[in-house]
Amino acid sequence: MQDILLRKIQPGDNKFLASIVRETLEEFGANRPGTVFFDDSTDQLYELFQQQGAVYYVVEKYGEILGGAGIFPSSGLAPGVCELSKMYLKKIARGLGLGKKLIETCLEFASQNGYSSVYLETMPELKKAVTLYQRFGFKFLKGPMGNTGHYGCDIWMQKKFKAPIAGALN
């Protein structure tokens, strides 16, 4: 992971990240209604992740943005629950351990900021990501949590931290 920079999102990252999200969904045939492909917020990730309890991390190499992931206090989630959100990597960045690093960093943020569990939504087309989530201890749920508006996602997962931490931000 030499020459890889992991940092928080900046305003100038929006167009690059939106492109990565949409290109990835197209690549896997998951560019359908009810997914982030059609969300207006996909073009404004910097602004979206400025609220309390949220963070978005970007990975880059030699100034080229390779992808990112974030933690977000999504609407309708129970107190103490946040969402692992908008995790996408360019094709050339997959298999390098960057997804693992992003998840570790996001989970650390969630734990340190008082969240007791992390929820995510995904699709069967993104099966390698699902396998990675399972390795991190995410368990399948029977249905969605909260109100993300992503009715195109039909895999729901949650990771509970061993000892819930009081004082979640959402």
Side-chain angles (χ1 to χ4, degrees):
M1 300 237 289
Q2 190 176 6
D3 303 316
I4 299 289
L5 174 64
L6 179 67
R7 60 171 174 78
K8 289 184 179 177
I9 193 169
Q10 299 169 0
D13 298 336
N14 280 345
K15 67 180 177 179
F16 301 106
L17 291 166
S19 177
I20 291 169
V21 169
R22 292 191 174 105
E23 286 171 10
T24 301
L25 290 173
E26 283 178 350
E27 176 189 345
F28 288 97
N31 53 331
R32 59 180 177 267
T35 67
V36 297
F37 189 89
F38 291 99
D39 284 1
D40 290 337
S41 65
T42 299
D43 296 300
Q44 301 160 348
L45 293 182
Y46 173 80
E47 291 79 6
L48 180 68
F49 282 87
Q50 294 311 299
Q51 66 180 281
Q52 184 177 1
V55 68
Y56 195 87
Y57 297 103
V58 173
V59 290
E60 67 174 56
K61 184 173 184 174
Y62 301 123
E64 178 186 1
I65 294 175
L66 300 176
I71 290 293
F72 194 77
S74 296
S75 175
L77 291 176
V81 181
C82 61
E83 182 181 8
L84 177 63
S85 180
K86 313 268 192 297
M87 183 167 154
Y88 293 92
L89 290 168
K90 282 185 171 185
K91 189 174 189 173
I92 61 165
R94 293 182 213 136
L96 303 176
L98 299 178
K100 179 179 181 235
K101 184 65 177 166
L102 281 167
I103 293 172
E104 287 171 348
T105 305
C106 286
L107 291 177
E108 183 178 330
F109 174 88
S111 177
Q112 290 179 351
N113 283 273
Y115 291 108
S116 59
S117 73
V118 179
Y119 167 74
L120 66 83
E121 300 176 333
T122 190
M123 300 161 271
E125 294 89 342
L126 305 174
K127 59 186 164 211
K128 285 187 179 180
V130 171
T131 301
L132 182 60
Y133 300 141
Q134 287 179 288
R135 279 192 236 136
F136 273 92
F138 282 86
K139 306 289 183 205
F140 291 101
L141 301 173
K142 292 181 181 181
M145 296 173 68
N147 182 25
T148 66
H150 296 143
Y151 60 86
C153 294
D154 54 5
I155 294 177
W156 311 280
M157 302 176 85
Q158 183 180 25
K159 175 182 176 59
K160 294 181 180 180
F161 295 120
K162 288 188 183 1
I165 302 167
L169 298 174
N170 64 342

